[in-house]
Amino acid sequence: MRIADVGTGSGAVAIALAVNRPNVEVWATDTSVAAVELARENAKLHGVEDRVHVLQGDLLEPLTAPVDLVVANLPYLPEQTPDPRYENEPPDAVYAPGDGLDPYRRLLNACRDGKLETGGTLLIQFHRDALAANCWELEDLREQLESSA
């Protein structure tokens, strides 16, 4: 199974998947150079660097082939409404321009446009909830996100 962990940060999700499922290969992406370096170090520390491929880039752009599962915990709060609960988090990991949903909109587009295998699944964290959609339900998930904004 091929998995993408989008916005990997420290690599915790990608590494946990690889440690607990020896048959998976994970592509972990992040736009932050520091996050990519940290995720690579953590993958090596946990002995899964051969199956956790950490790439710098936006969302699914660094992937060269579709994946079976996409997991993501992206920024979704509007940058104009700082929340004190997240003051210790990197702002780029929590806040996004406008209504905050653009990263998820672009991720849904990338999944729809061929980065997610037919029959694959998208699993996202949004407002402390896990939301899932198979490749045929992506537009329904988009509507759900829009109505939550």
Side-chain angles (χ1 to χ4, degrees), residues 55-136:
L55 307 170
Q56 184 186 6
D58 188 42
L59 304 173
L60 297 169
E61 286 178 7
L63 277 62
T64 58
V67 294
D68 304 297
L69 173 65
V70 174
V71 296
N73 181 7
L74 300 174
Y76 58 84
L77 295 177
E79 62 188 357
Q80 67 271 19
T81 56
D83 187 325
R85 293 177 295 176
Y86 303 108
E87 66 186 28
N88 294 323
E89 297 290 331
D92 290 349
V94 178
Y95 302 103
D99 67 358
L101 294 179
D102 185 58
Y104 279 117
R105 288 184 187 106
R106 293 185 305 106
L107 179 61
L108 287 166
N109 289 340
C111 288
R112 186 194 63 223
D113 294 342
K115 292 291 187 169
L116 181 63
E117 285 282 359
T118 300
T121 301
L122 170 65
L123 180 62
I124 63 172
Q125 187 271 331
F126 184 72
H127 287 294
R128 297 195 172 125
D129 289 326
L131 304 177
N134 66 40
C135 64
W136 297 283

Side-chain angles (χ1 to χ4, degrees), residues 6-93:
V6 179
T8 196
S10 67
V13 171
I15 292 164
L17 289 166
V19 165
N20 289 291
R21 298 286 185 215
N23 60 327
V24 303
E25 199 156 357
V26 183
W27 281 262
T29 68
D30 206 295
T31 57
S32 165
V33 172
V36 166
E37 290 173 3
L38 179 59
R40 285 180 180 155
E41 289 173 20
N42 286 335
K44 186 173 184 177
L45 179 68
H46 288 85
V48 293
E49 71 273 16
D50 60 325
R51 293 185 298 112
V52 175
H53 314 284
V54 185
L55 307 170
Q56 184 186 6
D58 188 42
L59 304 173
L60 297 169
E61 286 178 7
L63 277 62
T64 58
V67 294
D68 304 297
L69 173 65
V70 174
V71 296
N73 181 7
L74 300 174
Y76 58 84
L77 295 177
E79 62 188 357
Q80 67 271 19
T81 56
D83 187 325
R85 293 177 295 176
Y86 303 108
E87 66 186 28
N88 294 323
E89 297 290 331
D92 290 349

